[in-house]
Amino acid sequence: MLGKLSWEAIPLNQPIPMIASGLVGLVIIGVLGWVTLKGWLPYLWREWITSVDHKRIGVMYVVLAMVMLLRGFSDAIMMRSQQALAFRSPGYLPPEHYNQIFSAHGTLMIFFVAMPFVIGLMNFVVPLQLGVRDVAFPTLNSVGFWLTATGALLVNISLVVGEFARTGWLPYPPLSELTYSPGVGVDYYLWSLEISGVGTLLAGINLIATVLKLHAPGMTYTRMPMFCWTTLASSLLIVAAFPILTATLAMLLLDRYLGFHFFTNEAGGNMMMFMNLIWAWGHPEVYILILPAFGVFSEVVSTFSGKPLFGYRSMVAATMAICILSFTVWLHHFFTMGAGADVNAIFGIASAIIAVPTGVKIFNWLFTMYGGRVVYSTPLLWSLGFMVTFVIGGMTGVLLAVPPADFVLHNSLFLVAHFHNVIIGGVLFGAFAGYTYWFPKAFGFRLHEGLGKASFWCWITGFYVAFMPLYVLGLMGMTRRMQHYDVAAWHPWLLIAAVGAAIILIGIILQIAQFVVSIRRREELRDEIGDPWNGRSLEWATPSPPPAFNFAVLPNVQGEEAYWGMKQRALQQARLGEEPVYADIEMPRNSPTGFICAFFATVMGFALIWHIWWMVGVAALGAYATFVVFAWRDVDEYIIPAETVARVDRANRSARSAALARRQAAP
């Protein structure tokens, strides 16, 4: 009846997962109880859970990423403290639990922190920057988000029901084959990523269609903000690379469930083919994450330097060059496989070449700042921290791209330090810069600057203290995935790394405090006119937060930096442009389709993991019924009356006129 599921699946003899899951359960029950007592459930269902508004879906992606960051960082703290304590001793984590934490940390941070964070920013910002009302496929957007949330939920269910993979964040065979991993840990990994991967693919398709097909009048490709270009490149990579991941994991599922031999060591299987396939997805994945961050830095540096982005067309060319070259370097992840000197040399050269367009971007940002009126706000601090940190990570990456050096450093902590150097220093700093920069647009008030800057300094200090020692340890020969060790020379460096993780923890606490303090002081931090940073692109032309329809009338774009041009004309004429003619606006209706699909996907994923076949059938039937109901609905749009549009726009125009008058009156 329940397949492989029994009471033994709950780790009652392991206090750490039981206490952790108990605390999480209490928090969830407390939040649900609080929301219910406040009477907010109908509002949340109507305005958020069933919403197809790209802005709200973008915010939910970012919230998911933030929550998973706390979970993933708790794993990191446990690993760092374990290694600090495990010198000539077993430490406090049993080996099997340490391996699960190790695997869950990487899986959560890449798939459920970095990916939702950048997709959330792209979802929120891109339609606003293009001057349009929504993404191309609003309901599909909701489905994509909720499938991503399903994957995150399944990973976290493994904390208390069953186990997670012990294979690392990529499940290399033969360790991940049924012979060596007979439990359900690898199955949790595979099904959570298969489901969330479909959600990511839907997001990529949606964003490509939006950037290529939906534009305000006059918004040509060469007038798009740089963030739109990096979104396009990242989404193209999603659509090209994620099917490879889906197919690769499907083959491993066939090995485990039906006795196939794609990646076994017998019956014609070849485990090295898994390495080729997983990294044919895995290296483009790095650029899927970093390209949107590059777009964020382009927007932030230009805005806080008070200048147009230097070398716009060269930045576009560099972005698309990275998009293409990212598919030519995957083999540098396993130079030691034995492919031969010729193959290694080709991929080593390609890995060095791809550093060139990234270098172009760094110089363009520096030249943008040169001669500008630079305002050292929190978003710009994250950008400057990125430039220094990412350049160091890039140089160590070029070193690892040299096959002889890689033969020495492969699988060592040097590699771990490099990877975190570019992912934290690039992707996470970019996500934080974007979060701080666009927060007032999403919620109508700025984040507290003092706490934001304090958090930044803790993060960057903690990062260097935590990860620079790993470069040294890698050069000293310490390999990754070690649960305990006996080499005395390693111990001091691991203690320093643990101190660095503690400093990062202070940075995270300060970010939480920044959020809470900003909410409490939101009136004094209020963004009255929708343009708190003196921005240059169209998202700052809308009220903060923007209405459901974004723009009362689609803007007429007449050059690069459309909004900056509008502002300059208003300043010259000492008044806003003529009030537009308002009309009714059609907008897509909210739909529970995404949430219901995610519910059935969660049930089906859990049933597949535990081999509960009748439940798989019921969930499949429910998912199909959801599809049929959605396909046959009669009314999929609603009308926002012209009077409502006019009221919202006139209120914003009034605030902007008052701000313009104050500026004209200032000495």
Side-chain angles (χ1 to χ4, degrees):
M1 185 69 178
L2 294 179
K4 296 163 66 176
L5 186 61
S6 68
W7 285 109
E8 293 177 0
I10 299 175
L12 297 170
N13 60 336
Q14 296 184 32
I16 294 175
M18 292 309 299
I19 293 170
S21 55
L23 289 173
V24 170
L26 287 173
V27 169
I28 292 171
I29 292 168
V31 169
L32 287 175
W34 183 53
V35 167
T36 304
L37 289 173
K38 288 281 188 178
W40 292 344
L41 272 179
Y43 167 79
L44 288 174
W45 174 261
R46 185 178 65 253
E47 298 294 333
W48 289 91
I49 294 172
T50 62
S51 177
V52 298
D53 184 340
H54 72 96
K55 300 178 290 296
R56 298 212 158 163
I57 291 172
V59 169
M60 289 192 290
Y61 265 116
V62 172
V63 170
L64 173 66
M66 291 286 204
V67 173
M68 290 300 105
L69 176 63
L70 295 176
R71 163 69 209 278
F73 186 75
S74 68
D75 290 340
I77 286 284
M78 284 197 286
M79 285 192 293
R80 282 282 150 259
S81 56
Q82 164 69 17
Q83 289 193 324
L85 297 170
F87 172 55
R88 292 177 182 163
S89 76
Y92 71 98
L93 290 174
E96 66 278 1
H97 190 202
Y98 178 85
N99 290 341
Q100 290 181 58
I101 290 170
F102 180 95
S103 304
H105 170 72
T107 306
L108 287 165
M109 288 300 199
I110 294 296
F111 293 102
F112 302 113
V113 176
M115 285 297 296
F117 221 139
V118 298
I119 291 175
L121 292 176
M122 293 190 290
N123 247 301
F124 182 87
V125 175
V126 165
L128 292 169
Q129 288 194 334
L130 292 173
V132 298
R133 304 208 188 281
D134 211 320
V135 293
F137 310 111
T139 305
L140 203 68
N141 203 17
S142 172
V143 173
F145 165 72
W146 285 108
L147 289 179
T148 302
T150 292
L153 178 60
L154 285 174
V155 173
N156 285 284
I157 287 173
S158 72
L159 184 70
V160 66
V161 183
E163 60 179 1
F164 195 63
R166 303 174 190 174
T167 56
W169 77 280
L170 290 179
Y172 291 151
L175 182 58
S176 57
E177 294 284 359
L178 204 57
T179 304
Y180 302 101
S181 294
V184 295
V186 175
D187 300 326
Y188 265 112
Y189 176 98
L190 293 171
W191 287 115
S192 65
L193 294 198
E194 289 285 49
I195 294 168
S196 64
V198 172
T200 302
L201 185 61
L202 294 180
I205 293 168
N206 214 342
L207 288 165
I208 289 173
T210 302
V211 174
L212 292 181
K213 289 298 184 181
L214 300 183
H215 295 250
M219 177 66 80
T220 61
Y221 290 135
T222 52
R223 290 176 177 175
M224 293 193 308
M226 186 51 57
F227 188 70
C228 295
W229 275 107
T230 57
T231 294
L232 175 62
S234 178
S235 301
L236 288 168
L237 288 175
I238 287 173
V239 171
F242 262 80
I244 302 174
L245 176 69
T246 301
T248 306
L249 299 184
M251 284 187 270
L252 186 53
L253 281 165
L254 289 170
D255 278 9
R256 289 180 59 85
Y257 277 69
L258 296 178
F260 281 44
H261 292 282
F262 287 108
F263 308 126
T264 62
N265 284 333
E266 67 277 345
N270 184 351
M271 67 180 186
M272 290 315 303
M273 189 53 65
F274 182 90
M275 312 300 176
N276 269 290
L277 289 169
I278 205 72
W279 284 114
W281 158 81
H283 204 85
E285 165 68 7
V286 175
Y287 293 99
I288 289 169
L289 297 175
I290 199 66
L291 282 170
F294 287 169
V296 171
F297 297 130
S298 298
E299 303 297 325
V300 168
V301 168
S302 175
T303 296
F304 292 106
S305 299
K307 286 175 58 184
L309 186 65
F310 179 89
Y312 170 84
R313 282 170 172 76
S314 67
M315 289 283 269
V316 172
T319 298
M320 301 317 290
I322 290 171
C323 183
I324 294 166
L325 289 171
S326 66
F327 273 101
T328 68
V329 298
W330 79 87
L331 197 128
H332 71 215
H333 289 274
F334 45 96
F335 277 144
T336 55
M337 180 178 79
D342 292 343
V343 172
N344 284 358
I346 289 167
F347 281 87
I349 292 166
S351 301
I353 290 172
I354 202 170
V356 174
T358 306
V360 168
K361 288 176 174 287
I362 296 286
F363 282 110
N364 282 7
W365 292 318
L366 293 174
F367 287 136
T368 301
M369 294 178 67
Y370 180 74
R373 292 185 174 182
V374 180
V375 179
Y376 290 98
S377 64
T378 306
L380 188 67
L381 287 182
W382 287 113
S383 304
L384 293 173
F386 149 78
M387 289 184 209
V388 175
T389 308
F390 192 81
V391 165
I392 294 170
M395 289 190 295
T396 59
V398 172
L399 176 61
L400 287 167
V402 179
D406 188 72
F407 268 73
V408 177
L409 298 170
H410 182 77
N411 216 33
S412 73
L413 286 186
F414 190 97
L415 177 64
V416 175
H418 157 71
F419 185 74
H420 286 81
N421 213 154
V422 293
I423 294 297
I424 294 178
V427 180
L428 209 53
F429 283 13
F432 290 155
Y435 158 73
T436 313
Y437 181 60
W438 283 304
F439 186 93
K441 179 54 58 182
F443 296 104
F445 59 94
R446 289 174 286 110
L447 287 167
H448 190 278
E449 274 286 297
L451 288 170
K453 289 177 178 177
S455 172
F456 163 76
W457 287 113
C458 286
W459 259 99
I460 197 162
T461 304
F463 168 80
Y464 280 100
V465 175
F467 290 100
M468 293 303 114
L470 303 194
Y471 281 121
V472 178
L473 286 163
L475 292 169
M476 293 170 70
M478 184 174 180
T479 58
R480 53 184 176 161
R481 305 186 180 97
M482 294 189 73
Q483 191 257 342
H484 56 85
Y485 54 94
D486 297 325
V487 181
W490 297 350
H491 192 216
W493 296 104
L494 288 165
L495 289 173
I496 294 170
V499 171
I503 297 172
I504 293 175
L505 176 61
I506 296 170
I508 291 174
I509 292 169
L510 286 170
Q511 283 176 304
I512 296 169
Q514 178 196 31
F515 183 70
V516 173
V517 169
S518 301
I519 291 174
R520 289 186 172 179
R521 298 172 61 178
R522 59 186 177 275
E523 290 307 320
E524 65 183 87
L525 296 168
R526 181 72 61 192
D527 172 21
E528 298 288 351
I529 63 172
D531 183 17
W533 312 121
N534 195 21
R536 310 179 77 86
S537 46
L538 282 175
E539 72 267 32
W540 305 112
T542 64
S544 295
F549 49 82
N550 290 349
F551 298 90
V553 176
L554 296 187
N556 186 18
V557 177
Q558 298 178 7
E560 293 179 14
E561 297 194 312
Y563 177 54
W564 187 258
M566 294 176 192
K567 280 199 294 190
Q568 297 313 303
R569 286 191 293 274
L571 287 169
Q572 289 169 7
Q573 299 168 6
R575 63 180 179 83
L576 300 183
E578 294 297 324
E579 184 179 281
V581 177
Y582 301 107
D584 294 349
I585 296 174
E586 283 189 354
M587 292 300 295
R589 284 188 182 279
N590 286 354
S591 170
T593 303
F595 184 79
I596 295 171
C597 283
F599 171 77
F600 287 120
T602 304
V603 173
M604 182 182 287
F606 187 81
L608 285 164
I609 289 162
W610 291 99
H611 296 199
I612 309 172
W613 303 117
W614 65 268
M615 192 181 290
V616 173
V618 170
L621 189 63
Y624 180 73
T626 306
F627 164 75
V628 171
V629 170
F630 171 71
W632 284 91
R633 67 180 183 167
D634 294 327
V635 182
D636 56 4
E637 291 182 334
Y638 71 102
I639 303 296
I640 299 177
E643 301 79 39
T644 303
V645 176
R647 186 177 69 253
V648 171
D649 192 52
R650 283 169 183 159
N652 186 242
R653 286 175 61 86
S654 175
R656 288 175 185 264
S657 294
L660 183 61
R662 288 194 299 271
R663 181 163 178 172
Q664 295 290 336

